[in-house]
Amino acid sequence: MSAEATEQTANHSPLPTVETARKLGLLPEEYDRICTILGRKPNFTELSIFSVMWSEHCSYKNSIVWLKTLPRDSDRMLAKAGEENAGLVDIGDGLACSFKIESHNHPSAIEPYQGAATGVGGINRDIFTMGARPIAQLNSLRFGNLSLPKTRRLLKGVVKGIGDYGNAFGIPTVGGEVYFDDCYNVNPLVNAFSAGIVEVGMVAKAIAYGVGNPVFIVGSATGKDGIHGATFASEDISDKSTEKLPAVQVGDPFMEKLLLEATLEVIATGQVIGIQDMGAAGIICSTSEMSAKGEHGMDIDLDRVPTRQPNMEPFEILLSESQERMLVVIEKGKEDVIRGIFEKWDLNCEQIGTVTDTGRLKFYRYGELVADVPADDLVLGGGAPQYHRECREPAYYQEFKRFNIEDVQDVQAGELKAVADHLLTHPNICSRRWVYEQYDSMVGTANRSTNAPSDAAVVSVKGTDKSIVITVDCNSRYVNADPEEGCAIAVAEAARNIVCTGGEPLAITNCLNFGNPYVPEVYWQFVGAIKGMKKACEKFATPVTGGNVSFYNQSSDEGPVFPTPTIGMLGLMENPENRMTLAFGQEGDALYLVGQSNNDIASSEYLYSYRGVKASPAPAFDLEEEFAVQQVVKDLITRKLIASCHDLSDGGLFVALAESAMAGQLGFSVQTDPAFRKDAFLFGESQSRVLVSVRTERQAEFEAFLGSTGAAFSRLGEVTSGDFRVDGETLGNVAEAKGLYDNSLAKLVE
Amino acid sequence: MKFGVVVFPGSNCDDDAVHALRDQLKQEVVKLWHKDHDLQGCDFIILPGGFSYGDYLRTGAVARFSPIMDEVIKHAERGGYLMGICNGFQILAEARLVPGVLLRNTSQKYVCKNIYLRPESKSALITSELEDRAYKIPIAHGDGRYFADADTLKRLEDNDQIIFRYCDENGSVVESANPNGSLNNIAGVASERKNVFGLMPHPERAADPMLGNTDGKLILEQLLNAVLV
């Protein structure tokens, strides 16, 4: 049969060469491997198939060796990492949470609005393909210097793209992060996270089996958009990238909303064998992954795929990344069930083929066999290549470690206010209101953080007392300074945010944004980050449920972005009374720091942007100490000893105090500890510290309890009616601070 | 009272309306499918928020031609109660069931946040019994700028048809509290007979005590007085 395909294609055009393979992003040895697999030279359609399926985006060929070292098991895990479209975690009472994070960096760099919008669409399809109804979204965004017009254009486009898509789709965006650094000037990062709820036992699988079962394509028609998008995402960004505009997909949130409802309805019938969304690499990805998993094959008639334009080439239909489509295999004889449901929602629903026992994917166009490939050889875990890449420690790593705090002057008398204002207005710290007010954060009436802000977002699981507690975190400056410790900090901070909100960390999903993996220094960053993630995930018992790898985040001129392994963490709050806010509650409450202060300003926003010192190591961090602090905070919350709880992160203690004060429309008066430099005490970002406020009547019990645990803690001061005071010096009040903090980003962007 | 929540393709606040009315107000609620012609004996019809038919044309412009809207319009003409929230308000305006239009926000941006509302009409069912204070209610829209010509505005004022205005947290109707540039801070209006209500804010999003704000529940509870009318 394979000879048939060769001959027929040969009748139309000459077979492609290794040079064509190279242009499609394949290595010469990969071309040879394809010839061996097929037992002949591939035709152009087949070569295109291999090129997208063996791209980093689909095959993880340069990362899988290391990803396999991450912890992937716990009692709550209902799906192995990478086996389904998204992770699946048991949250009790017969329910599971499906969640995942994915990047859409390269499309967003070229066309920020559509790039970001389709990123939102793609991640939500991964969730509802599992049979889970999405209930909340987060996103993690990185841009370059805000003083550049290009950065402002990208930021506006990305935020509007996320908003327009997510708002119409109707799933709330309940949190996220936005960072700015020159390293993202050319290559912004757009990572989208979604979480959904499904009944255990109602989960749909991405699988195809049962000879003769019909294969349907549902949803949007297939157009020429996004062709070779997966290959495009596996290259450096260059001046020529704008020429790849057709590789960027266009999103339709209305279609996605209909597809959501129809998909959940058809899964609920119990007649679905398998279903997978069509994201990267389109039809070829879904047909091959579902077939390989079910150890079956498919015969597909490309003439029956609804298309947006006539005369599309076979490779165009196969590789198109047109959005809002799904591939569904159902039981033979139940065709009317699926047709009826999609008719109700006015969506396309076409049978395009059948499941076979050949293990091969055979694609027909105008009655001719145009491609014949073994499914298993296309996919990760099957025949897709896996590489060990070279690592080399970059020179800067040791240089950063030589940083000496004594070379930096401590804040002087009268300088505190200048630093405070610098931080409160800094784009990495100031309120993200300009961004999040463009997102519908309340649709679904489940967001419990709207009226009581917290370190992580709390989203009620309707019909139960439970809430999921979710967050995305990564300080990439720390990861750049020290990939292993920095990535461990990212996991620790995510866990800390969940714990400080009253949740129990359960599992993570990761979005690994790095530069070119063929650059040994970049790969060293990648390997270090994985090592750090591994040890932290093991410590917090938060296995990795899946995620995505995005390499090639770099430009040819300006080098790679900071290594940015964004951590999306899922937590669970069983008892709604454990919900903790970061907002101060009332004047006179006592303020305490739980955790140990340090003479450390390394990699702090203060050091980096106020002092202008870019070379310093990651901030002080000890995994055991972090774990101990989190256990203490959990106890403080369940014993109802604290009135508010806010972890210390960017901007250190001062910013935490200001944020808690502003959220509660109150102020604070604190004393610094002369045992530490003033800048380190107030603005240092050493980890494992939490700011809590305590009602005066609970103070004795609070101190006695903490004393019994042996945990480090110190009294800072108290909540005031509105003044911000440090060592008796007034640095302003809540109204002034809010004026600066709330409006800074809008001023910088507009 | 039996409520009916219309589901258009692209509606995304239909479940929230059902949740608030059924679980918080303990009322009978059914969903009404846009392709149907049957109101299933409902006394009170809700057009929920969302992006009906994608709203790629003008907001609400396609939805008003839905099959179910024939019956909804007849229901309103018979004096039946009808309320449109957000996209539902936009549909009511397109269908000329309430006066005025909803334009793009002056910021040109979608906005979602808590705002404050002051109840205005002393004669409309939805507001007549509310306290004279600021109610904290979420908004979430890109096209919420209420506009009407001078004659219409005068009729609205004279006939006590303005049901809510945007205000600050102290209840003062000031420009700084206007989130979208609405004419005279108008957030909601009633029809001339005061049986049809349109409002941009989402009271159904502030009805569950779990979310820490139940001002919306107080507003929705006013609708139950319709039983007595």
Side-chain angles (χ1 to χ4, degrees):
Chain A
M1 288 301 277
S2 26
E4 183 190 334
T6 318
E7 284 163 17
Q8 289 188 357
T9 315
N11 288 340
H12 300 299
S13 55
L15 287 175
T17 62
V18 66
E19 180 57 21
T20 318
R22 201 188 55 75
K23 284 183 183 159
L24 290 172
L26 290 163
L27 301 169
E29 60 262 37
E30 290 171 341
Y31 175 79
D32 292 343
R33 184 169 177 158
I34 293 164
C35 293
T36 307
I37 287 167
L38 294 179
R40 59 178 167 80
K41 288 182 175 174
N43 64 37
F44 182 78
T45 305
E46 291 164 337
L47 197 59
S48 296
I49 288 171
F50 278 96
S51 82
V52 287
M53 289 307 296
W54 287 6
S55 71
E56 183 65 36
H57 201 79
C58 295
S59 75
Y60 297 89
K61 62 187 171 190
N62 293 311
S63 55
I64 189 65
V65 174
W66 284 98
L67 297 179
K68 281 179 178 168
T69 66
L70 292 168
R72 292 189 281 180
D73 280 319
S74 87
D75 297 344
R76 290 183 179 270
M77 301 290 274
L78 299 176
K80 287 257 191 221
E83 278 195 6
E84 296 294 342
N85 288 297
L88 196 64
V89 175
D90 192 341
I91 59 168
D93 295 338
L95 297 176
C97 179
S98 170
F99 73 113
K100 191 180 183 187
I101 190 166
E102 255 186 13
S103 63
H104 236 213
N105 304 335
H106 292 93
S108 304
I110 307 302
E111 215 296 66
Y113 179 84
Q114 291 296 347
T118 52
V120 171
I123 192 63
N124 279 296
R125 276 195 303 287
D126 279 338
I127 302 306
F128 69 78
T129 310
M130 306 275 292
R133 179 174 286 276
I135 64 167
Q137 310 181 78
L138 307 171
N139 55 68
S140 172
L141 311 178
R142 320 271 153 167
F143 298 96
N145 192 321
L146 253 185
S147 66
L148 301 173
K150 179 186 173 181
T151 300
R152 297 196 293 271
R153 181 181 71 82
L154 288 172
L155 172 65
K156 286 178 186 172
V158 164
V159 170
K160 186 163 168 52
I162 291 172
D164 283 0
Y165 202 100
N167 298 344
F169 181 51
I171 306 303
T173 301
V174 298
E177 50 174 12
V178 187
Y179 277 102
F180 301 92
D181 192 282
D182 289 353
C183 74
Y184 303 108
N185 278 348
V186 173
N187 197 134
L189 302 183
V190 176
N191 296 175
F193 171 109
S194 180
I197 302 296
V198 58
E199 280 179 46
V200 177
M202 293 300 288
V203 177
K205 292 188 171 302
I207 195 167
Y209 58 79
V211 175
N213 280 336
V215 179
F216 283 86
I217 189 167
V218 300
S220 286
T222 299
K224 290 191 178 184
D225 49 335
I227 292 166
H228 281 299
T231 313
F232 164 56
S234 305
E235 293 171 6
D236 293 0
I237 294 276
S238 68
D239 290 343
K240 296 232 159 61
S241 293
T242 45
E243 292 171 13
K244 300 207 174 184
L245 208 51
V248 179
Q249 316 86 333
V250 176
D252 179 352
F254 172 58
M255 186 65 79
E256 177 105 335
K257 167 71 174 165
L258 303 183
L259 191 59
L260 162 72
E261 300 300 339
T263 300
L264 293 183
E265 208 169 310
V266 78
I267 290 171
T269 65
Q271 312 294 348
V272 171
I273 301 281
I275 179 166
Q276 182 166 341
D277 84 298
M278 268 171 266
I283 293 175
I284 186 57
C285 188
S286 309
T287 52
S288 58
E289 290 185 356
M290 290 174 73
S291 298
K293 188 166 180 191
E295 298 176 345
H296 275 64
M298 288 181 190
D299 285 352
I300 302 288
D301 182 357
L302 296 177
D303 298 349
R304 298 176 76 168
V305 175
T307 55
R308 290 189 194 147
Q309 53 237 91
N311 303 323
M312 282 177 71
E313 293 291 325
F315 84 93
E316 293 176 321
I317 300 173
L318 284 168
L319 271 54
S320 164
E321 295 186 4
S322 289
Q323 300 290 292
E324 294 93 25
R325 300 177 301 158
M326 296 272 193
L327 195 74
V328 191
V329 176
I330 66 163
E331 281 183 33
K332 188 171 172 58
K334 306 292 183 186
E335 290 86 347
D336 288 347
V337 173
I338 186 170
R339 287 205 178 99
I341 290 169
F342 281 82
E343 169 75 25
K344 173 186 164 187
W345 292 99
D346 299 318
L347 291 171
N348 284 321
C349 175
E350 287 296 328
Q351 185 183 341
I352 59 170
T354 50
V355 176
T356 67
D357 60 1
T358 62
R360 300 187 76 87
L361 300 173
K362 295 184 184 180
F363 297 102
Y364 295 86
R365 182 68 164 152
Y366 305 131
E368 290 181 9
L369 182 64
V370 292
D372 179 358
V373 291
D376 194 56
D377 283 300
L378 294 175
V379 303
L380 168 67
Q386 297 183 9
Y387 300 120
H388 287 266
R389 291 279 161 226
E390 187 190 346
C391 282
R392 190 184 307 128
E393 184 182 296
Y396 77 81
Y397 179 59
Q398 294 303 333
E399 182 203 329
F400 279 24
K401 284 193 164 184
R402 285 193 290 273
F403 168 78
N404 183 350
I405 191 171
E406 300 306 326
D407 296 339
V408 179
Q409 193 179 45
D410 196 357
V411 283
Q412 301 299 296
E415 195 185 5
L416 268 188
K417 169 113 176 106
V419 181
D421 289 356
H422 169 81
L423 290 176
L424 289 179
T425 55
H426 194 280
N428 282 345
I429 289 179
C430 69
S431 169
R432 272 79 187 96
R433 195 171 73 160
W434 181 88
V435 174
Y436 68 69
E437 282 188 355
Q438 297 187 55
Y439 304 148
D440 192 340
S441 57
M442 305 188 213
V443 62
T445 58
N447 182 355
R448 298 182 65 200
S449 297
T450 304
N451 298 302
S454 43
D455 282 346
V458 183
V459 183
S460 174
V461 178
K462 289 270 175 78
T464 75
D465 285 339
K466 298 173 200 291
S467 298
I468 57 167
V469 188
I470 51 178
T471 181
V472 283
D473 290 287
C474 179
N475 186 315
S476 60
R477 185 188 302 150
Y478 303 171
V479 185
N480 186 56
D482 186 333
E484 184 166 338
E485 290 307 294
C487 190
I489 288 173
V491 176
E493 190 190 348
R496 195 160 67 233
N497 282 332
I498 286 171
V499 165
C500 287
T501 304
E504 179 69 31
L506 295 185
I508 73 158
T509 173
N510 57 35
C511 197
L512 306 172
N513 309 276
F514 289 81
N516 186 336
Y518 294 83
V519 175
E521 286 81 1
V522 167
Y523 207 69
W524 176 86
Q525 293 175 329
F526 176 74
V527 170
I530 296 295
K531 288 177 179 169
M533 191 181 305
K534 176 176 190 289
K535 69 181 181 188
C537 285
E538 283 170 350
K539 187 71 207 174
F540 297 109
T542 51
V544 179
T545 62
N548 120 280
V549 177
S550 173
F551 283 134
Y552 307 96
N553 291 292
Q554 65 182 85
S555 70
S556 33
D557 318 328
E558 303 192 21
V561 299
F562 281 167
T564 312
T566 309
I567 304 298
M569 190 176 281
L570 170 72
L572 181 64
M573 188 187 298
E574 298 267 12
N575 180 354
E577 290 182 6
N578 285 347
R579 206 275 307 265
M580 192 41 68
T581 178
L582 63 80
F584 289 156
Q586 64 185 42
E587 186 182 352
D589 284 358
L591 294 174
Y592 290 87
L593 181 68
V594 179
Q596 181 64 53
S597 292
N598 280 286
N599 252 339
D600 177 39
I601 54 173
S603 281
S604 64
E605 192 60 61
Y606 157 77
L607 180 68
Y608 195 79
S609 64
Y610 185 80
R611 293 292 180 202
V613 177
K614 311 287 182 197
S616 68
F621 175 66
D622 180 280
L623 193 52
E624 299 301 325
E625 186 184 325
E626 172 76 39
F627 185 75
V629 166
Q630 292 189 19
Q631 303 318 305
V632 166
V633 170
K634 282 183 204 172
D635 282 341
L636 289 173
I637 291 172
T638 52
R639 288 164 187 258
K640 307 202 184 314
L641 290 172
I642 54 178
S644 74
C645 187
H646 189 11
D647 92 304
L648 268 53
S649 58
D650 307 334
L653 174 64
F654 173 79
V655 168
L657 285 163
E659 287 175 344
S660 291
M662 290 185 283
Q665 299 281 4
L666 292 161
F668 58 84
S669 177
V670 298
Q671 288 75 47
T672 59
D673 184 338
F676 302 97
R677 282 169 60 117
K678 215 168 204 175
D679 57 0
F681 189 81
L682 288 170
F683 310 118
E685 298 180 13
S686 71
Q687 299 293 296
S688 316
R689 295 181 298 154
V690 174
L691 169 69
V692 300
S693 66
V694 182
R695 293 276 136 85
T696 44
E697 64 269 23
R698 309 304 298 272
Q699 254 182 285
E701 200 184 339
F702 169 86
E703 293 195 4
F705 172 72
L706 276 186
S708 75
T709 66
F713 72 102
S714 52
R715 176 78 196 269
L716 292 168
E718 59 278 323
V719 176
T720 68
S721 64
D723 282 349
F724 287 13
R725 280 198 297 275
V726 175
D727 295 334
E729 179 187 350
T730 301
L731 300 178
N733 61 41
V734 64
E736 289 167 28
K738 273 179 75 72
L740 295 173
Y741 179 82
D742 283 350
N743 300 314
S744 177
L745 195 56
K747 280 184 189 157
L748 292 166
V749 177
E750 302 279 359
Chain B
M1 180 146 56
K2 185 175 179 183
F3 286 88
V5 176
V6 175
V7 182
F8 298 103
S11 293
N12 61 30
C13 304
D14 45 333
D15 284 334
D16 298 350
V18 169
H19 174 65
L21 293 165
R22 186 190 61 206
D23 300 334
Q24 305 302 328
L25 272 71
K26 310 296 178 196
Q27 298 299 305
E28 185 184 0
V29 193
V30 292
K31 284 190 181 179
L32 303 172
W33 183 240
H34 68 110
K35 291 181 187 175
D36 291 345
H37 277 281
D38 182 2
L39 298 186
Q40 299 182 33
C42 290
D43 309 296
F44 205 121
I45 307 297
I46 306 276
L47 306 186
F51 289 75
S52 52
Y53 298 89
D55 275 345
Y56 290 124
L57 186 53
R58 215 167 44 243
T59 54
V62 180
R64 66 169 284 211
F65 295 109
S66 277
I68 193 82
M69 283 303 288
D70 292 344
E71 313 312 317
V72 170
I73 290 167
K74 284 179 202 156
H75 170 83
E77 285 170 349
R78 284 194 301 267
Y81 284 106
L82 169 62
M83 180 166 75
I85 301 167
C86 198
N87 190 224
F89 185 13
Q90 294 161 342
I91 296 166
L92 290 179
E94 284 288 334
R96 302 276 189 271
L97 290 171
V98 291
V101 293
L102 282 312
L103 305 175
R104 190 83 187 141
N105 297 347
T106 41
S107 67
Q108 300 297 310
K109 284 202 283 287
Y110 184 95
V111 59
C112 173
K113 62 180 181 181
N114 280 322
I115 52 82
Y116 290 91
L117 286 182
R118 199 176 79 185
E120 292 285 319
S121 175
K122 298 295 172 200
S123 54
L125 170 83
I126 187 171
T127 47
S128 58
E129 302 292 321
L130 288 176
E131 292 174 43
D132 187 18
R133 69 167 174 95
Y135 287 77
K136 183 164 88 171
I137 305 292
I139 56 166
H141 57 248
D143 299 81
R145 175 158 58 107
Y146 184 80
F147 182 79
D149 61 49
D151 290 346
T152 306
L153 183 64
K154 183 167 188 314
R155 275 205 309 282
L156 285 173
E157 301 272 10
D158 291 349
N159 195 33
D160 198 24
Q161 284 171 251
I162 296 167
I163 55 176
F164 291 107
R165 288 187 210 270
Y166 299 107
C167 64
D168 64 17
E169 59 189 315
N170 303 313
S172 303
V173 176
V174 291
E175 183 52 37
S176 59
N178 188 342
N180 52 28
S182 287
L183 184 67
N184 293 359
N185 285 40
I186 292 172
V189 296
S191 62
E192 196 175 344
R193 293 167 67 186
K194 293 177 192 141
N195 62 321
V196 182
F197 312 109
L199 67 165
M200 289 311 296
H202 288 271
E204 82 282 13
R205 293 187 179 188
D208 185 344
M210 190 85 137
L211 305 184
N213 176 14
T214 51
D215 276 4
K217 186 180 179 193
L218 298 174
I219 292 174
L220 293 176
E221 279 170 349
Q222 299 304 310
L223 303 178
L224 302 183
N225 293 337
V227 169
L228 307 171
V229 176

